[in-house]
Amino acid sequence: MTYRVKALLWAALILGVAVMTLILDLNQGASFGIVGGFSSAAWGALQSDVGCGRECLQ
């Protein structure tokens, strides 16, 4: 799977979760925490494929 496909799948998942938090009528803080968690997981998963580790952040 290419990097672009993985990024699009994560984006679709994050948007789906955001819609679900609206449907479930969660409060703003809970929605932010859930979507933020998925966003962080996506960033970590996509950065693990780069191979430069912490050096990319410096």
Side-chain angles (χ1 to χ4, degrees):
M1 205 179 321
T2 66
Y3 185 81
R4 182 176 291 168
V5 171
K6 288 181 185 178
L8 289 173
L9 288 174
W10 273 108
L13 178 68
I14 292 168
L15 287 174
V17 168
V19 170
M20 285 302 290
T21 60
L22 289 173
I23 291 171
L24 295 173
D25 198 29
L26 294 178
N27 66 26
Q28 209 171 13
S31 298
F32 179 78
I34 293 168
V35 173
F38 273 95
S39 299
S40 297
W43 184 82
L46 292 172
Q47 288 300 314
S48 68
D49 291 340
V50 175
C52 59
R54 295 180 62 94
E55 291 82 27
C56 293
L57 300 175
Q58 297 174 355

